[in-house]
Amino acid sequence: MDTMGRHVIAELWNCNMDKLNDINYIEKVFVDAALRAGAEVREVAFHKFAPHGVSGVVIISESHLTIHSFPEHGYASIDVYTCGDRIDPNVAADYIVEALEAQTNESVEVPRGMGPVEVKQSKAL
Amino acid sequence: MDTMGRHVIAELWNCNMDKLNDINYIEKVFVDAALRAGAEVREVAFHKFAPHGVSGVVIISESHLTIHSFPEHGYASIDVYTCGDRIDPNVAADYIVEALEAQTNESVEVPRGMGPVEVKQSKAL
């Protein structure tokens, strides 16, 4: 398999606080996001923290999606990393942004597996 | 919990190919790396691909560590993300670099949870 990959790092602010604290909802959103992007889901692991916050990962054949949510801050830290050129990580990231009702999405896309790490593009929506 | 975090993205090249294909070794290295950095391990999920390659994650109370290995290229794609200022993600990353016998480590540290995403520092060792 080729080492080339695309890694979207997204900082989501002003999200729906209730959704950020709902582990079942977040797990479903992340699996759905992977599938919508055309990825193959391999492992799913999510954890709920007390009193609030969810961390989780979906390992896909093409790499991974992760989240760490901070409901009390309306913030979610998202990573969508896909290897190869068949899948666009932004399809999954955009789906997650919408599902968490993020009002602000600050993201960068980092190319992976191609040599030194460089930031390819940044955007604030 | 404060949203502030540190995310080390490391591209490891010229690693030990046998170790990159050994799921049990990699899982142990990643759990040990988390513990050495002082993190609290919450979930562990690793997957072995055929004919080669390992993907996996250790979810810690302070965020996560991930790997995607490509033994045939001697390459491993590593992320070590720690929230808060109690833990230094480089402690875990450096341990992983040594355990995988990476001859080249190209890495950046990205601050998380602090606003727009920016690359804080880069280094090639």
Side-chain angles (χ1 to χ4, degrees), chain A residues 1 7 9 11 42-43 47 57 63-64 66 68 72-73 75 77-79 81 106 112-113 115-116 119, chain B residues 1 7 9 11 42-43 47 57 63-64 66 68 70 72-73 75 77-79 81 106 112-113 115-116 119:
Chain A
M1 192 173 184
H7 185 167
I9 295 176
E11 307 280 73
R42 295 288 194 157
E43 306 278 347
H47 188 87
V57 63
S63 293
H64 69 252
T66 60
H68 304 286
E72 71 278 28
H73 297 285
Y75 166 68
S77 167
I78 308 293
D79 290 73
Y81 174 14
E106 294 156 344
R112 304 292 300 258
V119 172
Chain B
M1 192 175 184
H7 184 166
I9 295 176
E11 307 280 72
R42 295 287 194 157
E43 307 276 347
H47 188 87
V57 63
S63 292
H64 69 251
T66 61
H68 304 287
F70 299 74
E72 71 277 30
H73 298 284
Y75 167 67
S77 167
I78 307 294
D79 290 72
Y81 174 13
E106 294 157 343
R112 303 292 298 258
V119 171

Side-chain angles (χ1 to χ4, degrees), chain B residues 19-34:
Chain B
K19 290 182 174 173
L20 286 191
N21 209 29
D22 184 338
I23 184 170
N24 295 323
Y25 179 78
I26 290 178
E27 181 171 328
K28 184 176 187 314
V29 164
F30 269 66
V31 169
D32 286 350

Side-chain angles (χ1 to χ4, degrees), chain B residues 93-111:
Chain B
D94 290 348
Y95 179 76
I96 293 163
V97 169
E98 189 170 343
L100 298 180
E101 301 174 19
Q103 300 303 305
T104 307
N105 168 23
E106 294 157 343
S107 66
V108 293
E109 182 176 323
V110 181

Side-chain angles (χ1 to χ4, degrees), chain A residues 59 84 108:
Chain A
I59 294 180
V108 293

